[in-house]
Amino acid sequence: MTSSIGERILCAALLRKLVPVEEAVRHVRSGDVLAVSGFTKAGEPKAFLPALARYLADLPGARISVYSGASLSEEVEAPLAPFIARRGPYMASTASRRLIHAGKMDYADAHLSHFARGLMYGFYGDIDLAVVEVSRIRPDGSVVLSASVGVSAEALARARAVVLEVNTAIPDFTGMHDIVLPPAPPTIGWPVPVTGVRDRVGLPYVQLDPAKVVAVVESRQPDFPVAFRAGGATCDAIAEHVLAFLGECRDRFGWHHWVPPLQSGVGNIANAVIAGLARSPFQRLHFWTEVFQEGLLDVVADRDRFAGASASAVSLADTDPTRVEALIRAARGDLVLRPMWMSNNPEIIARLHVVAMNTPLEVDIYGHANSTHVGGSLIVNGLGGSGDFFRNAYLSVAHTPSVRTLRDGRTVSCVLPTVSHVDHTEHDIKCIVTEHGYATTFGIRSPRARAREIIDRCAHPHFRPLLHDYVTMAGEGDEPRLLAMDRLEGWWRDYDAACAAFPREPRGTPSGA
């Protein structure tokens, strides 16, 4: 599987710039802004960034800014985190999270489609260095990306200088990408002529001026695997209710055996939903999503069921290069990897009638959702693309367990009177799903009526009486809120007592959350 570096670098001028990674990192100065490849642990610079961390450790007070498409792996980000002054637009790193909460790292969350375009607009200032993993350098200096696109094309276009990391341990991804840069003012954007998930409107490589490249390094590290486990009873029950909702929509809206293009977030619930779809009555499934993940492999294997997929990254639990190459062979022509400004493009999401399915941390009885902050202040990760998809989707499904057990042993409700941080308003969500059922929110009904249905169908039975009490106590109004502090504090005391008194599951019962 491993190729020689000479087989992957076909441009003589760039082959001459091949240097040890320890030399390449010296192009970074304290204060620099780096835009790097990587999207949900796929296609990140796995040689350069750890080497950069070692280099910066010898420079007293060195600080840099790092922008990526989506999350980098902990193996890559954790060593570098102490030297990052600014980070955006998405991270899922424990090391960075601690520094953000301590006020030692500035972090700015953003919709992924907005960030990619903002990078081209210059909203985030100049980019000093782009560091991008590639699987091939073409004779003219243009590059074939690897398992992700993210903001790699924008980084290469905007950066003052470029370091290319050629990964010889991974398959050659030639032919898998569809690369188009977002237009920037004063150029007027044209409608992106995509009407199907397999449509291509750009180039299968990124054009690049070889003169901008200051160094080329070799990597022999496959992508780090994405954690994956069977979801358990809770995830399976949520998946059943998602499929029941889709079945209701099929009958109500006349889909028959067709289902619109699907977007699915990452995680165990998302994989359980995809596994359920692989056994469902729906045929010729097609996906317009951000991440092609582990659960989709079974769908691809069924050629009568898989009709194609578009994503910005391939993120798998087993990243053995032979396995990845087998996927490329099986899905070639049917799987397209795009920049995230396209994968998350509101115009395309709306045009294709995408059904968006994502997992927030919590929802409230009126339909608002929190995807990012525990307790309203402690960030778990960025918003990612859930906002791009929820707001513009034909149908938007927020699926979450009804309860979660915290590290202190308390079990809390994921259906609350009000979420502690609002990422998605009730206007963005069409259906809320837990293991107990689903509630639709797109009818012309008052928030009170929505609240009663969400409580009765989605909240855990242990917490339903308290939630109904809240609506009664909140009194009049279109979307009643309990504002009297003495009564509000009393309700939360009762809620805390209910969390402490939550019945323990029998030993051996899978929670699946």
Side-chain angles (χ1 to χ4, degrees):
M1 170 58 64
T2 301
S3 301
S4 70
I5 192 69
E7 293 174 304
R8 294 296 183 93
I9 304 177
L10 304 182
C11 175
L14 292 185
L15 184 59
R16 290 193 292 270
K17 295 184 179 181
L18 181 67
V19 297
V21 69
E22 292 77 13
E23 180 179 335
V25 297
R26 296 182 180 277
H27 290 282
V28 179
R29 299 167 297 178
S30 183
D32 276 356
V33 177
L34 275 62
V36 304
S37 62
F39 196 103
T40 320
K41 300 179 70 170
E44 60 197 354
K46 293 173 283 291
F48 186 92
L49 294 184
L52 177 60
R54 296 189 295 271
Y55 171 65
L56 294 178
D58 293 330
L59 298 180
R63 303 281 277 167
I64 61 173
S65 299
V66 175
Y67 306 146
S68 62
S71 57
L72 305 176
S73 64
E74 193 72 359
E75 292 88 341
V76 166
E77 183 155 345
L80 194 59
F83 311 104
I84 299 177
R86 292 185 297 166
R87 180 75 171 92
Y90 187 97
M91 67 84 218
S93 162
T94 299
S96 288
R97 192 178 298 124
R98 292 194 189 103
L99 293 167
I100 292 165
H101 293 162
K104 297 179 179 179
M105 181 189 297
D106 284 347
Y107 175 73
D109 194 7
H111 296 292
L112 294 190
S113 69
H114 291 188
F115 182 83
R117 289 178 299 204
L119 201 64
M120 289 299 291
Y121 301 161
F123 287 175
Y124 310 108
D126 294 332
I127 306 300
D128 296 298
L129 185 69
V131 186
V132 175
E133 182 186 81
V134 302
S135 64
R136 178 175 292 274
I137 300 177
R138 290 160 43 89
D140 63 355
S142 60
V143 296
V144 176
L145 301 177
S146 58
S148 73
V149 183
V151 293
S152 296
E154 291 88 344
L156 292 172
R158 286 278 300 160
R160 171 183 55 82
V162 170
V163 170
L164 297 176
E165 181 169 310
V166 182
N167 195 326
T168 55
I170 62 173
D172 183 351
F173 279 76
T174 294
M176 298 298 293
H177 306 98
D178 184 38
I179 306 298
V180 179
L181 286 171
T187 301
I188 301 299
W190 44 276
V192 181
V194 171
T195 58
V197 300
R198 295 183 299 176
D199 289 354
R200 293 171 178 268
V201 296
L203 297 171
Y205 51 84
V206 183
Q207 294 177 313
L208 177 64
D209 178 1
K212 290 178 62 172
V213 179
V214 295
V216 178
V217 301
E218 182 179 7
S219 170
R220 301 185 183 90
Q221 171 64 53
D223 284 333
F224 294 104
V226 176
F228 173 79
R229 60 180 173 84
T234 299
C235 293
D236 290 343
I238 292 172
E240 288 179 9
H241 292 304
V242 170
L243 292 175
F245 169 66
L246 294 179
E248 177 188 330
C249 292
R250 174 196 59 195
D251 298 337
R252 182 175 175 182
F253 304 125
W255 296 351
H256 305 292
H257 291 294
W258 175 81
V259 65
L262 301 170
Q263 178 265 337
S264 182
V266 297
N268 296 317
I269 294 176
N271 278 303
V273 171
I274 298 301
L277 282 164
R279 303 185 298 269
S280 75
F282 295 113
Q283 301 296 318
R284 305 299 293 162
L285 297 173
H286 44 164
F287 299 85
W288 184 273
T289 189
E290 298 170 287
V291 180
F292 185 99
Q293 57 187 313
E294 190 72 25
L296 286 170
L297 292 177
D298 289 339
V299 179
V300 173
D302 185 348
R303 302 306 295 182
D304 292 330
R305 191 177 295 273
F306 179 64
S310 171
S312 196
V314 174
S315 298
L316 302 176
D318 181 355
T319 58
D320 178 82
T322 303
R323 188 170 186 254
V324 176
E325 185 172 48
L327 169 62
I328 292 174
R329 286 199 305 269
R332 187 175 296 279
D334 296 322
L335 170 60
V336 184
L337 299 180
R338 309 181 195 271
M340 69 189 194
W341 83 270
M342 287 186 68
S343 67
N344 293 43
N345 187 291
E347 175 196 5
I348 302 175
I349 292 168
R351 179 189 303 140
L352 297 183
H353 308 303
V354 171
V355 174
M357 303 177 289
N358 293 280
T359 307
L361 295 172
E362 60 191 14
V363 297
D364 72 23
I365 58 177
Y366 299 118
H368 305 84
N370 170 20
S371 292
T372 57
H373 287 76
V374 172
S377 62
L378 299 178
I379 192 160
V380 176
N381 46 243
L383 177 65
S386 58
D388 292 319
F389 281 92
F390 272 163
R391 177 158 293 185
N392 299 287
Y394 165 45
L395 294 172
S396 47
V397 180
H399 44 47
T400 179
S402 65
V403 295
R404 294 185 190 276
T405 300
L406 305 183
R407 292 179 181 177
D408 62 10
R410 292 184 307 132
T411 297
V412 299
S413 177
C414 295
V415 181
L416 295 168
T418 179
V419 290
S420 56
H421 177 91
V422 178
D423 289 303
H424 318 288
T425 73
E426 80 273 29
H427 309 295
D428 301 335
I429 309 297
K430 298 296 190 297
C431 182
I432 292 172
V433 185
T434 71
E435 72 275 22
H436 297 289
Y438 67 87
T440 60
T441 61
F442 53 73
I444 304 299
R445 290 176 300 159
S446 71
R448 284 176 177 274
R450 284 204 309 268
R452 286 192 293 269
E453 183 173 334
I454 291 171
I455 293 169
D456 289 337
R457 294 191 177 186
C458 300
H460 192 284
H462 182 74
F463 291 103
R464 286 176 191 170
L466 265 177
L467 294 168
H468 280 300
D469 286 347
Y470 178 92
V471 176
T472 301
M473 294 168 63
E476 297 180 349
D478 176 56
E479 194 170 287
R481 300 289 182 185
L482 186 57
L483 299 178
M485 290 305 298
D486 56 339
R487 303 184 73 192
L488 183 60
E489 289 172 356
W491 189 91
W492 281 105
R493 282 195 297 270
D494 292 342
Y495 171 77
D496 287 340
C499 293
F502 188 87
R504 300 297 177 192
E505 293 178 339
R507 185 179 297 275
T509 301
S511 67

